[in-house]
């Protein structure tokens, strides 16, 4: 059975109509006879959405108990047993209740797809994992429920459910999204016009990028080379000269005129001779284009105009920006130049901009190196000069009434031989020498028009001519080859220098390095393959480009890296001289792969080392702090069981109270140890709900000795609700307050006060104890840390560590401040939920500092 197909309705914010669109599609499919069921859809009390569920088969949900409550989640086993053709699964990024089959709903969806069931789902743009920081900076809210981007990108179809911010706010005001008592708070916070506009732009750009990927894939599969102007892409042709920065800025201005425009700067290094490009100037231009939001590309090409046009069409560019030529006027006799050639060959689908600059017609700093890897046109011209040139010269000299003499005639023919060697190489020059000697013998050596030579001196002259001609042709060809080798080595060293520099700066990931290989060698796809053993199948460690290869045997180019790794390329066969640079790329790719794995192993080693440190500290702590209450309990029990002493009722009550106190201490210590273990292993999964702070804080004070005398509580009922896990918050507050009471003087009660600040609520626990120095304020939150004045038996040093861990798990923070006048204030910051309560700020009451005990944890 094949894998099912995934269709996702993507929205910019809650309430745009994703679930409604999904249910509408389900009704259309059912009408067409498709076996479609509702695996899990949450209508959130929205009447119109609930009505759309009528007429659709719904799979019963699984009931899962958690912390005394029953929650409903999608029953994956029931859906698999039902085996429909299509399953509707709402809220792809949802986090399942602990105890469910999978931690995340998208993992449930993966199981359905693997079973061959098509899935239709919904997700909002703010739940994409890569956009978490961006969304938080826009809305001020950190999304805890996320889905990996790759899960969404792998979807077979993605449909954007779009709605303008004004329409969405009207829908909210009409009560079609949230209940009436939450509308005002939502409109003034998350659903502000600016927030909605930014989120909408994020969704549109993300879908546009996804559509662009589909377009590139389609063009590659159908071998479409012409430009489709679906999006403005501006290619800047750089020479490494100082005018490059002007061209980049001009291209950036052009890109700003159209939404979503891209700037791609490309430097083409000629394999038959590099221009005098300054590495420092190229580095500056690369930095500039990246600062302006563009990308820099380095490509090797024999024909610069053709390579530039090939690159532009390959990335579906719409415009090319070039600078006016720096060549001097007389240099145009050798050709029209890159700009004119590109403009002539670009065709109607590419606009070419020629930009003037201060370096126009000033010439280049150094001459262009010439090479000897000759194209077909060069060879043809060499043969024309070598064969046609002597014939034309003989025709001219025989029809001109001027006797130049045999020596001058030989020099003229020799100049043609040198020209043939320069243009076409050795073979045209040798042919020109042979043909020229025959023409000299026939037309210019007595007796004329005969192949014989009457004067022996002329025989010697012709022989010397042939020898000199061959020697000159050989020397010129050898010099050209050496020049080519030097130019090629220079090109290779520039590429390798750039590669090494980017790796040393830590800029190159494996995918970026493979993309550089693909661009440098003009390949369709590049992949790094590896296998565990000689008989094991190959696996892909990384790839770029369409249709990556899975075996070295299928590649056009295969570069082994050791016995179990290979870099494979598809697109064309590389010449032998290119394999040296490719080998360096392959070796670097293997190093990058090893570095990534070593980094992962180092992270695991650090985690293990931290676990070992915690275990060592735990053993040191329990040797005293757990044995002390156990010893007291055992002594009290032994006294009560003793038959030698008759205890009065008061004595028995005192001993029982001691047993109870020791048991409570043990319970507290063991609870903190278990909580820290959960935090260290990452198994704390908060169940976030809207909660009143004035309901949780009093419950947290139950374990505090004499709370009426030792704690002053000031938590107004008008505070906004907070988004927290009630159980975790209660435990965190209890640890903070108990820690503060422990170190506060007996006649100074601990103050617990709360206030609202924007979209946050702060709970401050203020004590008047000795305080904590600034340099120790962070250390007090580390596990098994107790401040210097903490007496033995005052705890194992986990209270504040557990409190901070729980606070961060709920999306809050816990910090320590000095109390004015002496002492320590613990500030617990929590996220405010969206409610209809009147805003409450610290201005409504005197400024109160919450003292949370100096790093000495309970």
């Amino acid at each position: 059975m094949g894998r099912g197909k995934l269709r996702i309705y993507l929205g910019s914010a809650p309430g745009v109509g994703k679930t409604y669109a999904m249910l509408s599609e389900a009704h259309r499919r059912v009408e067409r006879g498709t076996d479609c069921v509702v695996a899990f859809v949450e209508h959130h009390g929205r009447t119109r959405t609930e009505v759309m569920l009528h007429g659709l088969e719904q799979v019963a949900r699984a009931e899962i108990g958690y912390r005394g409550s029953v929650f409903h989640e999608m029953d994956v086993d029931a859906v698999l047993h039902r085996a429909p053709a299509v399953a509707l699964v709402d809220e792809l990024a949802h986090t399942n209740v602990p105890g469910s089959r999978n931690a995340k709903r998208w993992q449930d969806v993966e199981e359905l797809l693997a079973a061959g069931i098509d899935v239709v789902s919904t997700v909002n743009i703010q739940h994409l994992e890569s956009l978490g920081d961006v969304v938080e900076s826009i809305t001020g809210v950190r999304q805890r429920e996320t889905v990996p981007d790759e899960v969404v990108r792998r979807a077979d179809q993605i449909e954007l459910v779009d709605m303008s911010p004004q329409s969405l706010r009207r829908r909210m005001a009409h009560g079609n999204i949230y209940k009436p008592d939450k509308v005002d708070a939502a409109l003034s916070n998350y659903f502000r016009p600016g927030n909605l506009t930014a989120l909408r732009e994020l969704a549109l750009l993300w879908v546009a990028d996804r559509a662009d990927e589909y377009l590139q894939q389609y063009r590659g599969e159908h071998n479409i080379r012409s430009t489709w102007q679906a999006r403005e892409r501006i290619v800047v042709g750089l020479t490494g000269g100082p005018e490059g920065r002007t061209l980049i800025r001009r291209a950036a201005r052009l890109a700003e005129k159209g939404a979503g425009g891209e700037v791609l700067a490309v430097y083409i290094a000629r394999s038959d001779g590099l221009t005098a490009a300054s590495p420092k100037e190229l580095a500056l231009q690369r930095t500039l284009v990246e600062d302006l939001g563009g990308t820099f590309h380095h490509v090797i090409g024999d024909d610069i105009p053709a390579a530039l046009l090939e690159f532009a069409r390959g990335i579906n560019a719409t415009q090319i920006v070039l600078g006016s030529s720096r060549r001097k006027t007389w240099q145009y006799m050798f050709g029209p130049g890159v700009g004119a050639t590109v403009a002539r060959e670009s065709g109607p689908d590419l606009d070419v901009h020629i930009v003037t600059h201060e370096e126009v017609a000033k010439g280049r700093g150094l001459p262009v190196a010439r090479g000897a890897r000759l194209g077909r046109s060069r060879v043809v011209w060499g043969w024309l000069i070598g064969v046609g040139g002597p014939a034309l010269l003989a025709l001219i000299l025989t029809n001109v009434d001027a006797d130049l003499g045999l020596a001058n005639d030989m020099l003229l023919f020799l100049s043609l031989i040198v020209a043939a060697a320069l243009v076409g190489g050795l073979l045209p020059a040798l042919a020109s020498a042979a043909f020229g000697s025959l023409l000299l013998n026939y037309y210019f050596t007595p007796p004329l028009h005969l192949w014989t030579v009457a004067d022996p001196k002329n025989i010697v002259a012709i022989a010397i001519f042939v020898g000199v001609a061959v020697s000159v042709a050989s020397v010129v060809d050898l010099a050209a080859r050496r020049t080519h080798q030097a130019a090629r080595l220079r090109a290779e060293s520039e590429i390798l220098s750039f590669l090494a520099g980017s790796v040393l700066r830590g800029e190159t990931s494996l995918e970026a390095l493979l993309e550089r290989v693909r661009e440098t060698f003009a390949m369709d796809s590049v992949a790094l393959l590896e296998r565990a053993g000689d008989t094991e199948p190959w696996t892909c460690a990384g790839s770029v480009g369409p249709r990556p290869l899975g075996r070295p045997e299928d590649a056009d180019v295969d570069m082994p890296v050791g016995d179990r790794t290979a870099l494979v390329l598809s697109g064309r066969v590389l010449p032998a001289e290119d394999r040296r640079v490719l080998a360096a790329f392959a070796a670097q790719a293997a190093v990058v792969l090893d570095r990534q794995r070593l980094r992962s192993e180092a992270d695991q080693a650090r985690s293990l080392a931290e676990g070992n440190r915690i275990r060592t500290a735990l053993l040191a702590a329990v040797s005293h702090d757990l044995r002390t209450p156990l010893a007291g309990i055992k002594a009290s029990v032994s006294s009560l069981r003793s038959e030698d002493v008759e205890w009065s009722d008061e004595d028995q009550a005192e001993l029982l109270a001691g047993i109870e106190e020791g048991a409570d201490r043990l319970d507290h210590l063991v609870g903190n140890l278990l909580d820290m273990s959960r935090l260290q292993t990452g198994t704390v999964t908060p169940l976030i709900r809207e909660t009143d702070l004035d309901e949780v804080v009093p419950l947290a004070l139950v374990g505090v000795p004499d709370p009426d005398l030792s704690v002053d509580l000031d938590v107004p009922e008008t505070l906004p609700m907070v988004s927290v896990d009630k159980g975790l918050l209660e435990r965190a507050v209890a640890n903070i307050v108990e820690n503060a009471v422990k170190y506060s003087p007996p006649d100074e009660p601990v103050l617990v006060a709360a206030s609202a600040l924007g979209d946050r609520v702060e709970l401050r626990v203020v004590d008047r104890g000795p305080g904590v120095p600034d340099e120790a304020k962070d250390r007090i939150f580390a596990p098994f840390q107790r401040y210097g004045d903490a007496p033995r038996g005052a705890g194992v040093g986990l209270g504040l560590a557990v409190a901070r861990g729980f606070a961060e798990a709920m999306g809050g923070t816990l910090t320590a401040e000095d109390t004015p006048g002496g002492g320590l204030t613990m500030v617990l910051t929590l996220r405010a939920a969206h409610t209809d309560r009147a805003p409450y700020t610290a201005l409504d009451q005197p400024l109160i500092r919450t003292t949370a005990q100096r790093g000495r944890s309970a």
Side-chain angles (χ1 to χ4, degrees):
M1 179 180 295
R3 180 180 173 85
K5 294 184 177 181
L6 175 60
R7 179 185 178 93
I8 293 178
Y9 284 95
L10 177 69
S12 59
V16 296
K18 304 179 302 298
T19 305
Y20 192 92
M22 178 179 67
L23 294 174
S24 298
E25 180 184 347
H27 281 286
R28 291 193 297 270
R29 295 198 181 200
V30 170
E31 290 174 0
R32 294 196 298 265
T34 305
D35 183 14
C36 182
V37 302
V38 177
F40 189 96
V41 169
E42 186 62 63
H43 56 74
H44 297 290
R46 299 166 188 166
T47 306
R48 296 184 180 181
T49 304
E50 186 176 4
V51 169
M52 292 297 293
L53 287 169
H54 297 167
L56 297 176
E57 178 184 348
Q58 300 187 46
V59 178
R61 302 181 182 184
E63 294 185 353
I64 300 174
Y66 181 68
R67 291 189 174 181
S69 300
V70 177
F71 299 89
H72 294 88
E73 297 287 359
M74 180 174 69
D75 192 336
V76 180
D77 290 325
V79 178
L80 292 174
H81 179 73
R82 172 62 175 77
V86 179
L88 307 183
V89 182
D90 204 8
E91 299 177 355
L92 185 64
H94 171 74
T95 300
N96 293 329
V97 173
S100 302
R101 182 189 185 100
N102 295 302
K104 294 285 189 176
R105 184 164 292 165
W106 64 263
Q107 295 171 323
D108 297 337
V109 169
E110 287 292 322
E111 287 196 37
L112 300 183
L113 294 172
I117 300 173
D118 294 345
V119 176
V120 183
S121 189
T122 64
V123 71
N124 281 326
I125 191 68
Q126 64 264 31
H127 294 297
L128 295 184
E129 199 167 71
S130 65
L131 299 178
D133 294 335
V134 179
V135 172
E136 183 179 13
S137 67
I138 294 172
T139 65
V141 178
R142 183 69 181 182
Q143 297 294 328
R144 294 298 170 184
E145 292 189 329
T146 60
V147 58
D149 289 44
E150 185 59 27
V151 173
V152 182
R153 286 184 178 275
R154 285 202 307 263
D156 299 276
Q157 296 181 56
I158 298 176
E159 182 170 334
L160 178 65
V161 182
D162 187 31
M163 178 174 288
S164 68
Q166 295 77 11
S167 299
L168 184 57
R169 284 173 58 84
R170 281 197 300 270
R171 179 180 286 186
M172 171 70 74
H174 294 159
N176 295 332
I177 300 176
Y178 289 159
K179 294 180 179 179
D181 58 346
K182 299 181 179 180
V183 169
D184 291 338
L187 290 175
S188 60
N189 290 279
Y190 193 89
F191 284 81
R192 294 194 300 268
N195 288 2
L196 297 178
T197 301
L199 292 173
R200 186 189 188 198
E201 183 178 11
L202 274 180
L204 291 170
L205 290 176
W206 195 91
V207 173
D209 287 338
R210 179 63 172 156
D212 192 57
E213 292 176 10
Y214 279 130
L215 179 61
Q216 294 293 348
Q217 180 180 353
Y218 179 85
R219 285 166 52 84
E221 292 174 351
H222 292 78
N223 197 28
I224 298 173
R225 306 301 297 168
S226 61
T227 300
W228 289 2
Q229 299 185 4
R231 184 175 184 177
E232 287 294 336
R233 284 191 177 86
I234 303 174
V235 172
V236 185
L238 301 178
T239 64
E243 76 281 1
R245 282 172 276 180
T246 301
L247 303 183
I248 292 171
R249 293 189 182 98
R250 179 59 180 273
R253 291 197 298 272
L254 290 173
E256 289 174 357
K257 294 180 180 179
E262 294 182 45
V263 176
L264 301 95
V266 56
Y267 170 65
I268 300 177
R270 294 178 55 172
S271 63
D272 62 345
L274 285 174
T275 57
S278 166
K280 181 179 180 180
E281 183 64 31
L282 280 177
L284 292 174
Q285 293 173 12
R286 175 189 177 90
T287 302
L288 175 61
V289 72
E290 291 177 347
D291 289 343
L292 294 174
T295 56
F296 184 90
H297 305 266
H298 192 122
V299 177
I300 291 179
D302 293 332
D303 186 337
I304 291 180
L308 182 60
L309 289 170
E310 180 74 15
F311 176 83
R313 293 192 174 104
I315 56 98
N316 202 28
T318 57
Q319 303 180 55
I320 298 178
V321 175
L322 299 173
S324 296
S325 178
R326 287 184 287 151
R327 296 194 300 175
K328 295 184 180 296
T329 304
W330 62 268
Q331 292 178 309
Y332 281 97
M333 68 175 61
F334 299 110
V338 173
T341 305
V342 170
R344 185 181 66 248
E345 302 294 336
S346 61
D349 53 356
L350 268 175
D351 296 334
V352 180
H353 302 265
I354 305 295
V355 179
T356 59
H357 50 84
E358 295 180 352
E359 304 297 323
V360 173
K362 291 185 178 181
R364 299 180 182 273
L366 292 173
V368 177
R370 294 186 55 83
R373 183 198 281 183
L374 306 176
R376 178 176 297 179
S377 61
R378 288 279 302 272
V379 174
V380 171
W381 276 105
W383 281 102
L384 288 176
I385 295 173
V387 177
L392 182 61
L393 178 61
L395 180 62
I396 293 173
L397 292 176
T398 55
N399 289 279
V400 174
D401 188 14
D403 187 9
L404 299 178
L406 182 60
N408 289 327
D409 294 336
M410 287 184 176
L411 289 176
L412 290 173
F413 277 96
L414 186 60
S415 65
L416 291 175
I417 296 171
V418 173
L422 288 173
V423 176
L426 181 61
L427 291 180
L430 294 178
S432 181
F435 188 48
S437 64
L438 293 176
L439 293 177
L440 282 171
N441 181 17
Y442 190 81
Y443 288 103
F444 304 102
T445 304
L448 300 178
H449 305 114
L450 294 174
W451 297 110
T452 59
V453 179
D455 190 348
K457 294 180 181 179
N458 292 335
I459 297 177
V460 174
I462 293 176
I464 293 174
F465 168 81
V466 173
V468 171
V470 171
S471 300
V472 169
S474 300
V475 170
V476 170
D477 181 73
L478 180 61
R481 291 181 184 276
R482 292 291 182 264
T483 303
H484 164 68
Q485 292 173 0
R488 183 164 190 84
L489 289 174
R490 182 179 175 185
E492 293 176 359
S493 64
E494 183 173 290
I495 293 173
L496 295 177
S497 174
F498 178 82
L499 171 66
S502 60
V503 171
L504 290 175
R505 292 190 298 269
E507 299 174 352
T508 304
S509 64
L510 181 59
E511 289 72 22
L513 183 61
L514 296 181
E515 181 63 31
R516 182 67 60 185
V517 175
R518 190 171 76 93
E519 290 180 357
T520 301
F521 297 102
M523 290 293 180
D524 294 335
S525 66
V526 179
L528 184 65
L529 306 181
E530 60 178 355
R531 58 182 177 181
D534 295 337
T535 59
E536 298 293 328
W538 291 95
T539 59
C540 181
S543 65
V544 294
R547 299 182 299 278
L549 301 173
R551 299 186 309 164
E553 296 82 3
D554 300 332
D556 294 319
V557 182
D558 170 26
M559 179 58 65
V561 188
D563 296 331
R564 298 179 180 178
T565 310
L567 184 68
V568 296
L569 302 85
S570 66
R572 65 187 181 93
V573 178
L574 286 181
E577 56 265 36
D578 286 343
R579 295 183 68 88
R580 178 168 50 190
V581 178
L582 181 61
F585 273 112
Q588 190 60 58
V591 169
V592 171
L593 181 61
D594 290 339
R595 183 180 299 173
Q596 289 179 351
R597 289 176 175 166
L598 289 174
R599 187 180 297 114
S600 176
E601 293 174 2
D603 293 339
Q604 294 177 3
R606 278 193 293 269
S607 298
L608 292 174
E610 179 66 15
N612 289 334
R613 188 190 70 80
I614 294 229
R615 281 190 289 271
T616 302
L618 173 61
L619 291 174
V622 299
S623 63
H624 180 278
D625 295 294
L626 293 182
R627 291 180 62 185
T628 300
L630 283 175
I633 293 173
K634 186 176 188 307
S636 297
V637 172
S638 299
S639 299
L640 289 173
R641 289 173 55 87
S642 174
E643 297 178 358
D644 301 330
V645 180
E646 184 175 345
W647 300 100
S648 64
D649 294 338
E650 292 80 8
D651 292 334
Q652 290 181 7
E654 183 178 353
L655 291 172
L656 290 173
I659 294 174
E660 183 178 12
E661 181 182 356
D664 290 339
R665 282 188 60 191
L666 277 178
D667 179 71
H668 183 75
L669 291 174
V670 172
N672 276 335
L673 289 172
L674 292 176
D675 290 338
M676 181 52 60
S677 175
R678 293 168 59 204
L679 289 170
Q680 292 291 331
T681 56
T683 57
V684 175
T685 304
L687 186 60
I688 303 298
R689 293 288 185 269
E690 296 180 358
T691 305
D692 282 310
L693 200 60
D694 58 333
E695 295 179 0
V696 178
V697 174
L699 296 176
L701 304 181
V702 172
V704 178
D706 298 322
D708 294 335
L709 299 177
S710 59
V711 178
D712 286 343
L713 188 60
D714 185 7
V715 181
E717 296 181 356
T718 55
L719 280 175
M721 300 179 75
V722 290
S723 297
V724 296
D725 183 306
K726 187 174 181 180
L728 297 185
L729 177 61
E730 180 181 336
R731 188 59 180 270
V733 174
N735 282 356
I736 297 171
V737 175
E738 290 173 10
N739 192 62
V741 170
K742 187 184 306 177
Y743 294 99
S744 193
D747 57 343
E748 290 283 353
V750 171
L751 176 62
V752 180
S755 61
L757 298 172
D759 59 351
R760 305 183 308 278
V761 174
E762 285 189 353
L763 181 70
R764 292 176 170 267
V765 181
V766 185
D767 72 35
R768 295 293 178 178
V772 174
D774 291 339
E775 62 272 13
K777 283 187 172 65
D778 284 334
R779 293 201 304 269
I780 63 177
F781 294 104
F784 303 105
Q785 295 292 321
R786 292 183 293 189
Y787 195 55
D789 63 350
R792 294 295 294 174
V796 295
L798 287 177
L800 294 182
V802 170
R804 171 176 274 190
F806 283 173
E808 292 175 349
M810 295 182 292
T813 59
L814 177 62
T815 56
E817 298 178 358
D818 290 328
T819 301
L824 192 69
T825 296
M826 287 292 177
V827 183
L828 177 61
T829 304
L830 304 170
R831 293 182 301 165
H834 300 303
T835 69
D836 60 343
R837 294 188 179 183
Y840 176 84
T841 67
L843 298 177
D844 297 325
Q845 62 173 16
L847 180 62
I848 303 173
R849 299 259 173 200
T850 309
T851 340
Q853 241 330 90
R854 62 282 345 274
R856 318 151 274 191
S857 33

